[in-house]
Amino acid sequence: MGLAVPRDVSLLAWDDSQLCQLTPPKLSAMSHDVFGFGAEVARLLLTVLKGGTPATGPVATPVPTPRESTAPPARTT
């Protein structure tokens, strides 16, 4: 499409992984505890399967990990 990253468009991945650091440019991503989230889902599922009511509450907020694929908007004159 003729666009340059990040000059023309910024890219941000939802799921941070080592692949994000291997791509040129290095891909900015949202970092979150995927394994911890999976463990919590498993605990809640086991509670439901045992006939219980799962507890509700806040979940961890993902944190942006800026790398080379994001930049501030270009200034227009």
Side-chain angles (χ1 to χ4, degrees), residues 51-75:
T53 302
T56 59
V59 295
T61 303
V63 177
T65 302
R67 294 191 181 102
E68 299 168 352
S69 69
T70 51
R75 298 198 70 165

Side-chain angles (χ1 to χ4, degrees), residues 13-75:
W14 170 248
D15 211 6
D16 197 8
S17 73
Q18 292 206 4
L19 290 176
C20 292
Q21 297 180 49
L22 296 174
T23 61
K26 291 181 171 121
L27 188 59
S28 299
M30 297 301 290
S31 297
H32 45 102
D33 184 3
V34 175
F35 297 106
F37 182 73
E40 182 63 21
V41 168
R43 280 192 287 277
L44 294 172
L45 179 59
L46 289 173
T47 299
V48 170
L49 292 174
K50 292 177 182 177
T53 302
T56 59
V59 295
T61 303
V63 177
T65 302
R67 294 191 181 102
E68 299 168 352
S69 69
T70 51
R75 298 198 70 165

Side-chain angles (χ1 to χ4, degrees), residues 3-17:
L3 298 174
V5 175
R7 186 189 72 217
D8 301 319
V9 63
S10 289
L11 298 177
L12 179 69
W14 170 248
D15 211 6
D16 197 8
S17 73

